[in-house]
Amino acid sequence: MDNKTELMIITMEECGELTQACSKVLRTNFSKETIEDLTKEVADVMCMIELMKEYLYIKHSDIDQGIQNKRDKLKIWSNLINRNNS
């Protein structure tokens, strides 16, 4: 298996683990233990994103722009971001 294939597989697995951790946090009403596990899984996914930047030449500036685009959408479709203060 080449590095890029391994990168994609591990990233998919880590995203799945993050999904499970999010679900567990909700089921346990935000317990300290599940928040700690959530934090670990977020870190694992962020690590894989950093490796994607290295192996796939994804630009950090493009990620930043994508984040801003998502925040702009959330201002419209969600209550997570205050429309007046971001």
Side-chain angles (χ1 to χ4, degrees):
M1 174 183 328
D2 67 13
N3 286 342
K4 290 178 183 176
T5 301
E6 183 177 10
L7 174 63
M8 293 294 102
I9 290 170
I10 294 171
T11 301
M12 289 185 292
E13 291 170 350
E14 293 299 344
C15 287
E17 291 174 17
L18 178 57
T19 299
Q20 289 178 336
C22 290
S23 179
K24 194 170 186 179
V25 165
L26 292 174
R27 287 193 321 271
T28 62
N29 202 24
F30 299 87
S31 74
K32 180 182 178 198
E33 180 181 302
T34 57
I35 293 295
E36 289 173 356
D37 186 49
L38 177 67
T39 301
K40 177 199 169 295
E41 298 304 340
V42 167
D44 289 351
V45 169
M46 290 180 75
C47 173
M48 300 313 298
I49 291 168
E50 290 296 318
L51 287 170
M52 283 183 172
K53 288 165 44 178
E54 291 175 29
Y55 279 88
L56 303 176
Y57 308 108
I58 295 171
K59 296 178 191 167
H60 189 80
S61 59
D62 291 341
I63 293 172
D64 284 343
Q65 184 60 56
I67 289 169
Q68 187 57 52
N69 293 344
K70 183 62 175 183
R71 292 180 71 87
D72 291 344
K73 288 180 184 178
L74 288 170
K75 285 180 196 177
I76 297 167
W77 302 108
S78 169
N79 293 318
L80 291 173
I81 298 176
N82 186 324
R83 293 177 186 154
N84 300 321
N85 295 335
S86 56

